């Protein structure tokens, strides 16, 4: 028997329960993983609340990312072996567990130069950042970009990566403490959105021109303002909706500046494509190893305390990455 978190009904953090479960042996194409760390993503909150369009049927074990040691492999598995350290960002839930079964196609090797805890902390968020700056909109030197929630799990990686490419990064944050981190992570300009109008400030910074791209994981609260920040033929790239889904957008609203609007899904672009996944993961871990990306594991919770971790991220009390550390039996 091992322990894992289960959700039997949708609701607040209190619906997360700590239970004993049996983990079977791996079937064909599967591996069994003893987890070293599990990443917590805001998507986990959406699913727990029952608000996400891909929320799993009840009951379920939450979580979509982690890293650990392979303890068994099923028939036909050649991509890894017992003893390998692997990470994963899965399109399926099930990571809030001491041990789990995983499709071998979802596992990627974690190089020895990268701490498995760091790998678990950033693999889903890092693959998302990789997608956003390379495919949602290709960031190039000289671009000016706006990143909402710049101190958040995806935001801080976006800022570091785009800055390293040579873009001018403008970030929005809610507190002065988060502003300090955003500066450290490559934001040339930081906007405290509770104290100043971010649209006015962006237009001031850009001398009225606007930005090439806005990366928006906030959604409803920032959407219209984000559109207003774009220059002609600018790109609005959504990747989440922490404040709720934006209102429907009349197509004519995009006409005056010929704007582009997209939602970049890491599942569609990367996770469900083995070849793309391996390339993106190698690029991600290489940039961690060479120091381009500094992993901020700012919050660690025992897996059994996932309730507290969910409450913290839902109340916007966190910065950087959050990990759950599996408790010993």
């Amino acid at each position: 028997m091992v322990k894992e978190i289960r959700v039997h009904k949708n609701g607040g953090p209190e619906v997360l329960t700590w239970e004993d479960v049996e983990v079977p042996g791996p079937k064909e194409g599967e591996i069994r993983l003893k987890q070293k760390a599990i990443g917590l993503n805001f998507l986990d909150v959406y699913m727990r609340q029952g608000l996400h369009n891909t929320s799993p049927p009840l009951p379920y074990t939450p979580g979509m990312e982690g890293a650990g040691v392979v303890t068994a492999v099923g028939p036909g598995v050649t991509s890894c072996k017992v003893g390998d350290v692997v990470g994963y960002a899965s399109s399926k839930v099930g990571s809030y567990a001491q041990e789990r079964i995983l499709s071998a196609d979802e596992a990627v090797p974690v190089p020895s130069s990268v701490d498995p805890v760091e790998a678990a902390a950033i693999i889903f968020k890092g693959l998302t950042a990789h997608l956003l700056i390379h495919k949602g909109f290709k960031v190039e030197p000289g671009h000016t970009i706006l990143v909402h929630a710049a101190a958040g799990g995806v935001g801080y990686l976006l800022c570091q990566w785009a800055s390293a490419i040579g873009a001018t990064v403008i970030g929005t944050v809610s507190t002065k403490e988060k502003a300090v981190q955003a500066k450290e992570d490559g934001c040339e300009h930081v906007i405290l959105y509770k104290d100043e109008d971010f649209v006015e400030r962006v237009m001031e910074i850009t001398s009225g021109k606007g930005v090439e791209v806005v990366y928006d994981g906030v959604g409803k609260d920032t959407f219209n303002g984000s559109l207003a920040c774009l220059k002609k033929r600018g790109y609005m790239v959504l990747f989440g909706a922490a404040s709720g889904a934006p209102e429907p957008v009349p197509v004519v609203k995009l006409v005056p500046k010929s704007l582009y609007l997209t939602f970049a899904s890491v599942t569609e672009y990367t996770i469900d494509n083995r070849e793309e996944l391996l390339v993106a993961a190698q690029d991600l871990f290489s940039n961690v190893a060479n120091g381009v990306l500094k992993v901020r594991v700012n919050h660690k919770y025992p897996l059994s305390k996932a309730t507290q971790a969910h409450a913290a991220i839902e109340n916007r009390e966190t910065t950087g990455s959050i990990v759950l550390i599996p408790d010993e039996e």
Side-chain angles (χ1 to χ4, degrees):
M1 299 287 282
V2 299
K3 293 278 194 179
E4 65 180 40
I5 296 289
R6 297 286 285 169
V7 176
H8 294 272
K9 62 180 180 179
N10 296 125
E14 71 281 355
V15 303
L16 301 172
T17 60
W18 183 232
E19 301 179 13
D20 291 312
V21 295
E22 292 280 359
V23 179
K27 298 176 182 177
E28 184 168 357
E30 295 179 336
I31 61 175
R32 178 166 172 157
L33 197 64
K34 183 176 177 62
Q35 302 207 96
K36 287 183 172 291
I38 298 137
L40 195 158
N41 198 300
F42 213 95
L43 184 58
D44 303 347
V45 173
Y46 298 150
M47 289 184 173
R48 188 204 73 226
Q49 294 171 333
L51 302 178
H52 196 263
N53 59 0
T54 58
S55 293
L58 299 165
Y60 72 94
T61 300
M64 303 175 74
E65 59 187 325
V69 178
V70 178
T71 58
V73 299
V77 174
T78 59
S79 58
C80 58
K81 63 184 185 302
V82 172
D84 283 353
V85 178
V86 299
Y88 65 91
S90 177
S91 59
K92 307 173 189 69
V93 294
S95 69
Y96 285 24
Q98 292 174 331
E99 299 186 33
R100 70 165 301 182
I101 299 297
L102 184 74
S103 169
D105 284 344
E106 294 181 312
V108 297
V110 176
S112 58
S113 55
V114 176
D115 187 317
V117 174
E118 292 187 343
I122 68 159
I123 186 164
F124 202 105
K125 305 168 192 68
L127 292 175
T128 300
H130 181 274
L131 154 67
L132 294 174
I133 64 173
H134 290 295
K135 296 177 182 177
F137 171 84
K138 187 171 177 56
V139 175
E140 297 178 351
H143 283 161
T144 300
I145 75 172
L146 175 62
V147 178
H148 287 300
V154 174
Y156 86 95
L157 294 169
L158 261 176
C159 293
Q160 291 183 28
W161 219 329
S163 178
I165 289 171
T168 297
V169 183
I170 305 170
T172 68
V173 297
S174 59
T175 68
K176 292 180 180 179
E177 292 76 18
K178 291 181 179 182
V180 172
Q181 177 186 302
K183 276 282 190 180
E184 293 175 353
D185 287 331
C187 286
E188 188 166 330
H189 307 277
V190 182
I191 300 170
L192 290 164
Y193 67 82
K194 291 183 178 180
D195 298 335
E196 50 190 339
D197 185 302
F198 75 83
V199 178
E200 292 181 1
R201 188 75 184 95
V202 166
M203 300 311 286
E204 178 184 342
I205 291 167
T206 61
S207 300
K209 296 177 182 177
V211 297
E212 270 86 7
V213 60
V214 176
Y215 291 114
D216 193 334
V218 177
K220 184 177 181 179
D221 289 352
T222 53
F223 183 80
N224 288 323
S226 294
L227 288 178
C229 289
L230 290 168
K231 66 181 352 179
K232 289 184 178 180
R233 296 185 295 280
Y235 280 71
M236 174 71 168
V237 184
L238 290 161
F239 63 96
S243 66
E247 296 296 324
V249 183
V251 174
V252 293
K253 193 168 185 176
L254 308 177
V255 171
K257 292 192 286 186
S258 294
L259 300 177
Y260 296 87
L261 171 62
T262 186
F263 192 106
S265 167
V266 69
T267 299
E268 296 295 330
Y269 272 89
T270 308
I271 293 174
D272 286 348
N273 184 316
R274 177 69 177 171
E275 184 177 341
E276 293 281 352
L277 173 62
L278 289 172
V279 170
Q282 183 178 18
D283 193 18
L284 172 64
F285 290 143
S286 174
N287 278 285
V288 172
N290 64 24
V292 170
L293 297 178
K294 177 184 177 183
V295 182
R296 290 186 178 274
V297 184
N298 289 352
H299 311 274
K300 292 182 182 179
Y301 293 83
L303 177 58
S304 60
K305 305 298 183 184
T307 296
Q308 287 92 319
H310 268 236
I313 191 173
E314 196 169 348
N315 293 327
R316 309 293 196 275
E317 296 170 356
T318 64
T319 60
S321 296
I322 308 165
V323 294
L324 304 172
I325 305 298
D327 308 66
E328 293 301 323
E329 294 182 70

